[in-house]
Amino acid sequence: MKSFLLFIFLQIIPAPVEFAETGKDCQVHSVRVATGRRASRGFRTMAASLPAFAQKEAYSIDVGKKRIRIEALTEEGAFRAQQTLRMMELSGQPIHCCKITDYPRFEHRGLMIDESRSFKGKEFIMKQIDAMALLKLNVLHLHLTDAAGWRIEIKSHPELTQKAAWRIGRTYAEWEKNGYPFCTEDAPQAYGGYYTQDDLREIVEYAARRFIKVIPEIEMPGHSMEVNRTCPELACIDSTGRRRNWAWDLCPGNEGTFRLLEDVLDEVMDIFPGKYIHIGGDEAVMKDWRECVNCKARMEAEGYSDVHQLQGYLVRRMANYLQEHGRTAVGWDEILETGVPQDAVIQSWRGSSGGRKAAAAGHKVIMSPNTHCYFDYYQDLIRKEPLATGELTSLHWVYTYNPLEGISEEDASCILGLQANLWCEKVPTPEHAEYMLYPRLFAIAETAWSPTSLQRDPVEFRARARALLEVFRTLGYNTFDMDSESDFAIEGKRRTRTGEIIYPAF
Ligand code: ACM
Ligand code: ZN
């Protein structure tokens, strides 16, 4: 039975594929888990009909009067089942006898956290991994480098953290106002930090035990001012010999840039065992490349007529480097415009059009459009919210996002899934980050896991989200206050620049 009234009662996010109540209160005392060949033939037949990624995570739960039986093909499936049971327990409702059959809609169900603009640290990340596990999210994308701070220890280049992990300016705005100064750790007023390789290994291991993969992001060639400030000898240089050590972009004309990036990626691959490594690729300005003698020489040698081709050169070279080492590059949707290897995964952020084009070109795609999945954007009216970015992106708005909109059935198989992105220029503390994440991450979790065959009713979802938010509060998360949410946000409205009210396409 797929009644959403029952889901209110069940209070699970993401909603399971199939749920049927089979009796009243269960006085449970034991949980049995049957995985692999010990699962029933019926379960194995059901799972065999699913795509491979879903088979791994599929599970069933049979809550009887006195015992609970979990079935799954893998430990991962059994873990997802345990999270469902845990959520039922945490809801504080009596557990009724029921049968649940469940598996994910998408393979990639992610969250990105920007650790460069504000550094939140290991405990914060592990706490969010716990929340992700409960919500059946399975990819944590860590944005580890950007102009505002380099946050990963690189043993072959200790200068990156020595010179660019600390800054004068607790918030991004203060740092900007101060003129973007970096400093050493022992400087008075130093703000910042970085992950040691041991910290990151611990995070990877902690996440893996919860069947969550970690994708590290090393930005290139844009968003890289901290590298140019640390290694000025690599920055673009004009014909008068002036180094652009405040430049936003790395210099793709300088071989030293590639040596540095390869050294960094070697260590990154050693820490992060997963298939995917994110190499950024967004918002390169390319201005200094026009004047740089090394960039001009590279253009001439490659027969290029446009600096955009230099971005393609750098991204392809690094994507190929990863490929040679058995890994796959992920990049923001700009990388599609300048040519990338076919195996590169495209992450759509400038709306969904980049993702649609990438899927049509046969690339695997992660959907995280700023129109719906940017959690640094306001979640309620500007006048009642802390300073944020962008347009009103309320819970309702996020919930009504359709990642397959405008994508043909044939191309839909290229969509790996979706992801929330929490950029932190205006999110200075861990508490503020949680405030921006919850409850909106619940909506991403449900869209990414639950099938569209379930009737998606935002009013009903809101009731479940509200109940789960209470649970999150008792677990110690700082959340947005749904009780004070404006009707405008509850209804998922937005106003265009000319004042016209728009609704999400649903
Ligand atoms: C991005 O938001 N610049 C990927
Ligand atoms: Zn250059």
Side-chain angles (χ1 to χ4, degrees):
M1 195 188 307
K2 292 177 184 171
S3 159
F4 263 96
L5 279 174
L6 287 176
F7 287 141
I8 292 184
F9 175 62
L10 189 61
Q11 290 190 356
I12 301 277
I13 294 177
V17 175
E18 281 184 33
F19 166 73
E21 214 187 349
T22 53
K24 283 283 170 215
D25 298 1
C26 147
Q27 259 92 62
V28 169
H29 315 295
S30 67
V31 179
R32 291 237 187 119
V33 182
T35 48
R37 299 206 60 76
R38 283 191 304 216
S40 66
R41 185 185 288 272
F43 178 80
R44 284 187 279 137
T45 307
M46 183 285 296
S49 69
L50 303 174
F53 75 85
Q55 288 187 23
K56 270 194 308 142
E57 298 190 79
Y59 68 87
S60 72
I61 301 175
D62 186 348
V63 179
K65 267 199 168 355
K66 290 243 173 324
R67 76 185 170 93
I68 296 178
R69 180 177 161 86
I70 289 174
E71 294 191 304
L73 294 187
T74 65
E75 291 299 317
E76 186 170 353
F79 181 80
R80 302 290 177 229
Q82 276 148 3
Q83 297 309 304
T84 297
L85 284 177
R86 180 152 181 258
M87 205 178 266
M88 283 160 84
E89 255 170 40
L90 286 168
S91 77
Q93 305 279 329
I95 297 184
H96 290 218
C97 297
C98 64
K99 283 197 169 135
I100 294 174
T101 304
D102 204 11
Y103 46 83
R105 176 183 178 202
F106 287 111
E107 179 174 359
H108 180 114
R109 308 181 301 278
L111 166 64
M112 186 220 72
I113 298 178
D114 168 10
E115 283 290 63
S116 172
R117 276 61 170 266
S118 78
F119 182 64
K120 292 163 286 302
K122 193 168 68 177
E123 259 114 69
F124 169 81
I125 292 295
M126 288 176 168
K127 189 175 169 196
Q128 308 326 305
I129 289 173
D130 290 341
M132 290 174 70
L134 196 55
L135 294 167
K136 303 190 179 74
L137 294 169
N138 65 348
V139 180
L140 173 65
H141 165 179
L142 290 178
H143 185 75
L144 290 168
T145 72
D146 209 301
W150 183 279
R151 308 279 178 224
I152 167 171
E153 175 191 24
I154 300 296
K155 293 188 198 272
S156 57
H157 293 275
E159 67 279 10
L160 287 165
T161 42
Q162 281 160 5
K163 296 186 183 166
W166 306 90
R167 70 183 189 220
I168 311 280
R170 198 182 51 82
T171 64
Y172 188 90
E174 279 167 25
W175 181 62
E176 198 168 33
K177 206 162 98 206
N178 292 339
Y180 308 107
F182 284 112
C183 62
T184 51
E185 181 175 359
D186 54 5
Q189 297 176 285
Y191 166 87
Y194 65 91
Y195 290 109
T196 64
Q197 297 199 354
D198 284 346
D199 288 336
L200 290 168
R201 287 199 169 88
E202 217 181 303
I203 288 172
V204 167
E205 160 75 21
Y206 190 83
R209 275 191 265 120
R210 288 153 184 80
F211 299 93
I212 293 171
K213 295 190 179 76
V214 184
I215 299 183
E217 180 182 355
I218 305 295
E219 264 280 11
M220 60 187 83
H223 288 266
S224 296
M225 183 179 70
E226 86 289 15
V227 179
N228 286 323
R229 296 274 297 285
T230 303
C231 315
E233 70 285 2
L234 298 182
C236 283
I237 182 166
D238 68 19
S239 58
T240 68
R242 223 183 97 221
R243 283 277 175 200
R244 307 292 172 114
N245 60 330
W246 283 74
W248 180 252
D249 302 324
L250 300 175
C251 174
N254 190 332
E255 272 306 296
T257 301
F258 294 92
R259 279 194 294 275
L260 174 75
L261 291 177
E262 289 177 8
D263 287 349
V264 168
L265 290 183
D266 285 347
E267 295 190 31
V268 165
M269 286 188 279
D270 200 46
I271 302 164
F272 296 92
K275 176 172 168 189
Y276 296 122
I277 308 283
H278 205 302
I279 56 170
D282 58 317
E283 299 185 304
V285 177
M286 307 181 204
K287 187 166 138 278
D288 297 293
W289 298 352
R290 293 176 210 282
E291 309 299 328
C292 170
V293 291
N294 291 327
C295 285
K296 285 202 242 183
R298 174 85 70 203
M299 286 182 69
E300 199 175 321
E302 297 293 329
Y304 295 158
S305 56
D306 185 327
V307 282
H308 285 85
Q309 291 168 291
L310 285 177
Q311 150 110 349
Y313 175 88
L314 182 141
V315 167
R316 274 194 306 280
R317 202 164 144 179
M318 299 320 299
N320 287 334
Y321 187 75
L322 291 173
Q323 202 180 56
E324 283 158 22
H325 290 78
R327 306 301 181 95
T328 300
V330 184
W332 300 107
D333 58 49
E334 283 93 331
I335 71 168
L336 189 65
E337 290 161 7
T338 49
V340 276
Q342 192 59 44
D343 75 332
V345 175
I346 307 299
Q347 183 161 1
S348 197
W349 76 274
R350 297 174 299 174
S352 299
S353 64
R356 284 197 288 269
K357 281 187 207 141
H363 286 279
K364 296 269 188 246
V365 171
I366 299 161
M367 284 297 200
S368 61
N370 59 350
T371 51
H372 291 82
C373 298
Y374 268 37
F375 285 7
D376 54 329
Y377 283 23
Y378 282 95
Q379 58 191 324
D380 204 346
L381 302 176
I382 289 177
R383 68 176 146 72
K384 68 179 276 296
E385 287 305 294
L387 183 69
T389 314
E391 303 202 56
L392 179 53
T393 303
S394 67
L395 176 67
H396 179 117
W397 187 274
V398 178
Y399 188 65
T400 49
Y401 169 55
N402 172 8
L404 296 185
E405 194 188 337
I407 293 176
S408 70
E409 225 168 273
E410 195 187 336
D411 295 346
S413 62
C414 289
I415 307 298
L416 287 176
L418 66 151
Q419 185 173 303
N421 292 337
L422 181 64
W423 298 106
C424 290
E425 289 98 324
K426 293 177 185 151
V427 180
T429 63
E431 294 72 29
H432 193 154
E434 290 179 359
Y435 178 86
M436 302 306 269
L437 288 173
Y438 309 110
R440 290 185 292 183
L441 197 59
F442 303 169
I444 293 289
E446 180 139 312
T447 304
W449 178 282
S450 307
T452 47
S453 57
L454 293 175
Q455 173 203 341
R456 285 168 61 81
D457 175 354
V459 174
E460 181 279 328
F461 177 75
R462 188 178 155 74
R464 271 184 294 136
R466 210 180 163 119
L468 186 58
L469 207 61
E470 275 311 305
V471 169
F472 267 58
R473 280 179 190 276
T474 57
L475 291 174
Y477 292 85
N478 183 45
T479 72
F480 173 75
D481 177 10
M482 286 178 72
D483 291 339
S484 74
E485 192 175 10
S486 72
D487 288 346
F488 197 82
I490 290 173
E491 287 162 30
K493 293 176 191 164
R494 255 189 195 175
R495 222 179 266 281
T496 64
R497 286 196 177 80
T498 56
E500 185 195 353
I501 292 176
I502 51 171
Y503 298 84
F506 181 56

